[in-house]
């Protein structure tokens, strides 16, 4: 058998297999998963973790959260903050202009602000 005949035979097999697979897929019943109230479920895909979000804060609060003198003034030491998670969310959202902390409302969405507050409370906190 020549080289050309072998290639034609091989392509014929590929076409037959492809046709068989497509026919099989068309014969399968279509299944649709819907919620009881015909609404689509809300799927939340995590976008960025706290460490990635904190990169916007390092200019004032330093990489490890210790704060101190910086370009924007004097950054608070987030490792020892006495603020609750909810208070942190409020400060990040609305700022504290009297202390040099800008408001991030409209710049960072609520989900990211919440992630950032959790990161500060859970991961930057100094171990006792």
């Amino acid at each position: 058998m020549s080289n050309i005949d072998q290639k034609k035979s091989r392509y014929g097999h590929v076409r037959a297999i492809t046709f068989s697979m497509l026919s099989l897929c068309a014969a399968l019943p279509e299944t649709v998963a819907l919620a009881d109230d015909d609404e689509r479920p809300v799927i939340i895909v995590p976008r960025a973790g706290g460490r990635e979000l904190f990169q916007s804060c390092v200019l004032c609060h330093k990489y490890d959260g210790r704060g101190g003198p910086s370009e924007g003034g004097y950054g608070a030491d987030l490792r020892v903050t006495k603020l609750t998670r909810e208070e942190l969310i409020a400060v990040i959202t609305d700022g504290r202009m009297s202390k040099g902390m800008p408001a991030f409302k409209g710049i960072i969405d609520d989900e990211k602000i919440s992630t950032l507050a959790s990161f500060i409370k859970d991961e930057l906190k100094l171990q006792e």
Side-chain angles (χ1 to χ4, degrees):
M1 190 179 238
S2 74
N3 228 2
I4 295 173
D5 290 336
Q6 287 177 342
K7 286 183 181 180
K8 284 183 182 178
S9 176
R10 190 175 320 140
Y11 289 128
H13 292 316
V14 170
R15 276 188 256 152
I17 291 170
T18 303
F19 179 75
S20 299
M21 294 301 288
L22 291 174
S23 299
L24 179 62
C25 290
L28 293 174
E30 185 176 326
T31 57
V32 178
L34 293 176
D36 291 339
D37 56 1
D38 291 335
E39 290 184 24
R40 292 183 180 205
V42 176
I43 300 172
I44 299 174
V45 178
R47 291 184 275 177
R51 176 58 66 190
E52 290 82 16
L53 294 171
F54 192 70
Q55 295 308 307
S56 301
C57 310
V58 299
L59 185 63
C60 298
H61 296 286
K62 310 296 187 267
Y63 182 75
D64 61 355
R66 66 183 145 78
S70 65
E71 303 254 343
Y74 192 88
D77 187 344
L78 299 176
R79 303 170 304 167
V80 294
T81 184
K82 300 223 184 295
L83 298 176
T84 66
R85 185 178 176 281
E86 290 72 27
E87 290 170 331
L88 280 171
I89 290 172
V91 168
I92 296 167
T93 303
D94 302 324
R96 279 189 176 171
M97 291 310 292
S98 63
K99 295 191 176 198
M101 173 68 180
F104 286 93
K105 184 177 190 173
I107 298 171
I108 302 175
D109 66 42
D110 293 342
E111 181 184 337
K112 288 181 179 178
I113 290 174
S114 178
T115 301
L116 193 51
S118 295
F119 171 77
I120 292 167
K121 288 304 285 181
D122 299 336
E123 296 184 43
L124 283 184
K125 181 180 177 183
L126 290 176
Q127 301 300 318
E128 296 176 3

